Amino acid sequence: DAGITQSPRYKITETGRQVTLMCHQTWSHSYMFWYRQDLGHGLRLIYYSAAADITDKGEVPDGYVVSRSKTENFPLTLESATRSQTSVYFCASSDLSSYNSPLHFGNGTRLTVT
Amino acid sequence: AQSVTQLDSHVSVSEGTPVLLRCNYSSSYSPSLFWYVQHPNKGLQLLLKYTSAATLVKGINGFEAEFKKSETSFHLTKPSAHMSDAAEYFCVVSALNTNAGKSTFGDGTTLTVKP
């Protein structure tokens, strides 16, 4: 089935550990995005990618690293996790063929940093 | 620059009564406007979008929204609430001239539906 899949759904890690959140889409959308969702802040853009090997910072990129070697995958890495990175992370994709192309979201990864 | 303000963080209605979720936006360019719904432990799902073809936009599950340029508003309505409508709703604006078409999200409105 076409869609966007995030893994894992839940993750608990310790402060200072590296953790990678995975995102895979089957639409061949050119654009992919990572958002974090926190109470009182809505959704904030961390990083986005316009195509394979093209990435750019969003609103809150510090402490995160992304890569996009293949169009369908867009992993997000926390190089040294901190408690402030406890959040729900959403991956999204869009073809952006027109400026009113919608975003398609995964079901999220709930990350807890202890 | 663009921004979105959802005027109510929480809305509570009784089942069978109308729903109104309010959204105001600002954008330096012609905006594209969306409403998304998020059920617990789920991702966001598109409810409807404004495409400039018509100011009254119909979406899924009986929802609709009216684009009012003079009021810079894009309020979401439904004539009769159902228990399954209880969720978080996000108003989103994007514009062609923003960098890579990035979207700006409102802070969300939690809709509670009482039996």
Side-chain angles (χ1 to χ4, degrees):
Chain A
D1 290 340
I4 185 163
T5 305
Q6 292 185 238
S7 60
R9 285 298 312 274
Y10 303 92
K11 177 74 177 178
I12 300 174
T13 192
E14 295 177 342
T15 300
R17 297 253 187 190
Q18 182 181 82
V19 61
T20 296
L21 310 183
M22 305 301 292
C23 179
H24 175 80
Q25 54 112 346
T26 58
W27 288 296
S28 298
H29 286 164
S30 55
Y31 280 86
M32 296 187 75
F33 305 82
W34 274 106
Y35 291 89
R36 60 177 290 172
Q37 184 177 31
D38 305 288
L39 279 175
H41 290 281
L43 271 78
R44 292 181 290 174
L45 182 64
I46 304 170
Y47 268 96
Y48 67 98
S49 169
D53 297 323
I54 301 175
T55 62
D56 206 349
K57 296 178 180 179
E59 183 185 356
V60 289
D62 293 343
Y64 302 94
V65 174
V66 293
S67 62
R68 192 151 177 225
S69 57
K70 294 184 178 181
T71 300
E72 61 266 31
N73 296 324
F74 191 40
L76 175 73
T77 297
L78 289 67
E79 293 189 301
S80 179
T82 65
R83 289 196 180 91
S84 65
Q85 293 177 309
T86 292
S87 186
V88 182
Y89 291 85
F90 287 99
C91 180
S93 70
S94 178
D95 62 6
L96 283 181
S97 55
S98 66
Y99 77 117
N100 53 29
S101 297
L103 295 166
H104 299 267
F105 286 86
N107 283 330
T109 295
R110 184 175 295 274
L111 176 68
T112 302
V113 183
T114 62
Chain B
Q2 60 189 24
S3 66
V4 175
T5 302
Q6 292 184 239
L7 298 169
D8 307 290
S9 58
H10 293 87
V11 170
S12 181
V13 300
S14 296
E15 190 175 21
T17 64
V19 175
L20 170 63
L21 305 183
R22 299 182 295 163
C23 173
N24 287 350
Y25 72 93
S26 68
S27 177
S28 303
Y29 304 96
S30 296
S32 189
L33 294 157
F34 307 82
W35 276 99
Y36 289 85
V37 60
Q38 183 183 27
H39 291 279
N41 297 316
K42 294 290 188 182
L44 281 71
Q45 178 187 12
L46 180 70
L47 268 180
L48 50 80
K49 66 179 182 181
Y50 167 67
T51 63
S52 78
T55 56
L56 184 61
V57 182
K58 293 188 184 298
I60 62 172
N61 300 333
F63 283 94
E64 60 183 38
E66 186 171 9
F67 174 72
K68 292 186 176 181
K69 186 175 181 180
S70 61
E71 299 177 10
T72 61
S73 69
F74 190 57
H75 300 335
L76 182 70
T77 60
K78 183 173 181 177
S80 177
H82 191 273
M83 295 298 292
S84 61
D85 294 329
E88 185 94 12
Y89 292 80
F90 292 93
C91 182
V92 180
V93 62
S94 68
L96 180 63
N97 297 80
T98 57
N99 193 359
K102 284 184 294 184
S103 303
T104 300
F105 287 75
D107 288 339
T109 298
T110 301
L111 176 65
T112 301
V113 182
K114 297 175 290 186

